[in-house]
Structure formats: C-alpha cells, structure tokens
C-alpha cells in the first residue's frame, strides 16, 4: 500500500482540458518524480486523475499545480488515499491549491 492522491474536477461540457491535463502530467512526473497511477476517468459528475509514487506533501504540491492550470474548471479538490483503496473517493479531502 502506498499513498495516492486523487485529483477531482467537476465534469464540464467542454472536455478539451482533460487531454491538456493528461499531457501536463508527463511534465509533473519528471518535475516531481511522481507517477500517474491510473488513467483519469469520469466518476459520476467528476473527472478524476490519480497520482502516486511520492510522499503526500509532494503529491499535493503536484495536484495543486494541476488544479491551478489555466483552462481547467474551478472547484478541484484532492482525496488523499491509498493505492489499494476499495473505490474512488475514499480518504481525506484536501482543498486545492494547498498553501
């Protein structure tokens, strides 16, 4: 079991930002030495990205960069959870960006 951060965004009619975030994740993997744990997916009325491979503080810093990226919908938050969580959305909710 390892720490994982889910980055939750509200689903919008315009979904071009999703591909942009997916591409941005590659940059974050190099900069923060994190990994995109799973491909992003739509869960209910949210789109969720999954990152792991570093400590909680580093993962939340990376999540904050995603949440403040130009073109993404407002209202993003993170869930600090584990890679072996039974389902999406379990864990501790953290407002983004972290300070």
């Amino acid at each position: 079991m390892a720490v994982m951060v889910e980055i939750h965004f509200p689903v919008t009619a315009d979904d071009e930002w999703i591909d942009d975030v997916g591409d941005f994740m590659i940059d974050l993997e190099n900069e923060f030495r994190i990994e995109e744990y799973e491909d992003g997916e739509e869960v209910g009325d949210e789109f969720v990205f999954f990152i792991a491979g570093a400590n909680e503080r580093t993962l939340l810093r990376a999540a904050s960069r995603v949440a403040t990226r130009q073109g993404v919908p407002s209202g993003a938050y993170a869930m600090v959870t584990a890679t072996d969580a039974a389902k999406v959305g379990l864990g501790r909710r953290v407002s983004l960006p972290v300070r």
Side-chain angles (χ1 to χ4, degrees):
M1 172 181 91
V3 175
M4 180 173 68
V5 167
E6 302 169 357
I7 311 167
H8 292 247
F9 287 94
V11 170
T12 61
D14 173 22
D15 62 357
E16 290 181 20
W17 64 270
I18 295 171
D19 288 337
D20 179 60
V21 169
D23 293 341
F24 186 53
M25 288 290 202
I26 295 167
D27 296 335
L28 293 178
E29 287 177 351
N30 295 326
E31 182 179 343
F32 289 99
R33 301 214 189 291
I34 63 170
E35 65 179 83
E36 188 173 9
Y37 187 73
E38 294 179 8
D39 290 337
E41 64 182 66
E42 195 168 324
V43 179
D45 59 354
E46 297 181 323
F47 197 91
V48 184
F49 295 92
F50 306 89
I51 56 176
N55 64 40
E56 179 180 327
R57 181 178 176 167
T58 299
L59 294 171
L60 288 172
R61 283 183 32 230
S64 293
R65 291 276 303 278
V66 174
T68 57
R69 185 157 176 82
Q70 185 173 356
V72 301
S74 61
Y77 66 93
M79 292 297 290
V80 177
T81 187
T83 54
D84 64 351
K87 65 181 191 172
V88 175
L90 299 178
R92 180 172 46 88
R93 185 177 173 138
V94 177
S95 297
L96 295 176
V98 293
R99 306 258 178 240

